[in-house]
Amino acid sequence: MSSNLSRTRNRAFVLTGLGIALLIAVFLSPFASQHPDGLDRVSQDLKFDAKAKEDAPAKRLPFYAVFEEYALRGVPEQVATPLAGLVGTLATFGLAWGIGKLVVRGSSPQDDSSDLP
Amino acid sequence: MATVGFAFSGYSASLLDLVSQPYLALHIPDGFLSFPVLAVTWIISLALIAISLNRAQAEYKDRTVPLMGVCAAFIFAAQMINFPIPGGTSGHLLGGTLAGVLLGPWAGTLVMTAVFIVQSVVFQDGGITALGANIFNMGLIGTFGGYYLFRAIRGAIGRDKLSGMVVGSAVAAWVSVVVAAAFCAFQLAISGTVPLAVALAAMVGWHVLIGIGEALITVVTVIYVWRTRPDLFYRPPRRELTTTSRPLSTR
């Protein structure tokens, strides 16, 4: 079905795309605007920002010990956000790929395992 | 035991964080929405995700899988980049429409879901209880509403023309952001967090501007894919018409 050439071109596209994403997450993220964004701004203006839970469930997960929002803990400030961007981009790439692998039929060439008991 | 690099540490720092959290475009934190609103948005999101899982199984081939990874990675990275909006505010890409245009509504939905799961679980961006609402507002409005609006406009201008793709994705991207902001305002109002009229005016007011950024980033990405690999679109342009717009090299 897919020739070697098209497979190579697809791989090139995937690597280029992932490369662009990583460049954005690592090198552009420190320059992101620090202003409050849409909902943030509205919650401050309309005085309901204090309703955000301090002890949100996500803070009880182990990740909270590693990342404080988009910043890796325990490293200098300059690299905290780029490193978080790197990890997050790769994690998202892996998760979406994994979901696709599980869902899309024919993506496992060996066995066509269905969920039938 | 993180080493804190500034003068104030501990409690005052966390209070300060609460006042100035830089990342939250439309990401609703835990605590803004009431239980009924959380439940309904979870149910709607899970239902649409289930349908998407089903349709994706039937519709896509395995070459789509790496694209899903790339698309998710790009949207995650782009969401980190807040662009300034006049008036001391910022916004960032949501990407739902972009995912829909590239991958179609089904795989697009799965990609957006992956992005919001990582943001919420790993980076505390958007509450976990509000994940259903965030997936719906920022993802599914774009992957379904945005996609079908894009499809209608593209069909009207010309399926195989770049102009059809560009105008369709620009309009759909902008509309999906404004609609997402409106939905968010409604959810906040129904939850009793803030009066509807005020929330609607404020949310839509800002996101009318933020949506322009969304449209620009979406269009640039669509043009890039059109020039490099138009065959990768969910509904690719028909071949014979694309020869003129396919340079030999990518810049």
Side-chain angles (χ1 to χ4, degrees):
Chain A
M1 180 66 185
S2 62
S3 67
N4 264 341
L5 176 67
S6 83
R7 197 170 301 167
T8 313
R9 287 187 68 212
N10 286 344
R11 184 167 301 161
F13 184 88
V14 167
L15 288 174
T16 308
L18 183 59
I20 292 171
L22 288 170
L23 287 175
I24 292 171
V26 173
F27 293 105
L28 241 55
S29 60
F31 301 102
S33 167
Q34 296 296 308
H35 287 305
D37 55 29
L39 176 59
D40 248 349
R41 175 59 188 264
V42 171
S43 72
Q44 289 165 25
D45 288 351
L46 303 182
K47 307 277 185 284
F48 64 90
D49 49 328
K51 287 194 76 165
K53 262 204 165 77
E54 256 286 36
D55 58 335
K59 295 194 174 174
R60 283 185 225 123
L61 294 171
F63 301 109
Y64 187 59
V66 184
F67 296 107
E68 188 177 11
E69 289 187 2
Y70 292 97
L72 183 63
R73 292 178 187 270
V75 298
E77 212 181 321
Q78 298 86 339
V79 292
T81 297
L83 286 173
L86 177 80
V87 173
T89 303
L90 290 174
T92 310
F93 178 80
L95 180 62
W97 183 304
I99 292 173
K101 257 261 173 275
L102 287 173
V103 169
V104 174
R105 191 177 300 166
S107 54
S108 47
Q110 237 87 79
D111 65 311
D112 237 336
S113 56
S114 61
D115 285 335
L116 295 172
Chain B
M1 289 302 292
T3 49
V4 183
F6 28 88
F8 46 85
S9 62
Y11 202 32
S12 59
S14 71
L15 272 178
L16 216 104
D17 279 346
L18 200 72
V19 180
S20 62
Q21 290 171 321
Y23 307 97
L24 272 173
L26 267 172
H27 290 76
I28 302 171
D30 292 311
F32 279 13
L33 300 180
S34 64
F35 181 77
V37 174
L38 293 174
V40 168
T41 47
W42 264 112
I43 290 165
I44 294 171
S45 286
L46 288 173
L48 288 170
I49 291 167
I51 293 168
S52 299
L53 286 168
N54 251 317
R55 296 297 304 266
Q57 214 157 11
E59 218 174 282
Y60 296 97
K61 295 193 178 62
D62 45 3
R63 72 159 206 178
T64 312
V65 174
L67 280 186
M68 287 171 69
V70 170
C71 187
F74 179 77
I75 288 170
F76 176 90
Q79 286 211 9
M80 284 185 79
I81 312 302
N82 287 54
F83 46 81
I85 295 287
T89 306
S90 72
H92 63 64
L93 182 83
L94 301 183
T97 302
L98 178 62
V101 170
L102 293 175
L103 290 160
W106 319 116
T109 292
L110 301 179
V111 156
M112 294 310 291
T113 303
V115 170
F116 296 122
I117 288 174
V118 171
Q119 288 178 333
S120 158
V121 171
V122 181
F123 298 102
Q124 308 108 46
D125 186 14
I128 291 187
T129 59
L131 187 55
N134 285 328
I135 289 175
F136 179 81
N137 294 347
M138 294 186 284
L140 309 191
I141 287 175
T143 54
F144 289 104
Y147 173 75
Y148 287 110
L149 179 58
F150 155 79
R151 198 170 131 166
I153 295 170
R154 181 189 178 186
I157 294 177
R159 224 207 90 145
D160 306 316
K161 286 198 203 128
L162 178 58
S163 57
M165 297 281 296
V166 166
V167 176
S169 52
V171 173
W174 183 84
V175 170
S176 71
V177 169
V178 174
V179 171
F183 264 85
C184 182
F186 273 105
Q187 289 155 5
L188 292 168
I190 295 167
S191 302
T193 301
V194 67
L196 177 62
V198 195
L200 203 56
M203 287 297 287
V204 172
W206 287 117
H207 286 87
V208 160
L209 298 173
I210 293 171
I212 297 171
E214 177 95 11
L216 284 172
I217 297 169
T218 302
V219 163
V220 166
T221 313
V222 163
I223 291 174
Y224 173 78
V225 176
W226 175 280
R227 290 199 179 283
T228 51
R229 295 293 305 277
D231 57 304
L232 293 180
F233 282 115
Y234 175 63
R235 289 168 78 235
R238 292 181 195 88
R239 266 297 157 79
E240 59 274 13
L241 286 154
T242 60
T243 44
T244 48
S245 61
R246 296 182 70 191
L248 291 170
S249 68
T250 65
R251 274 191 302 119

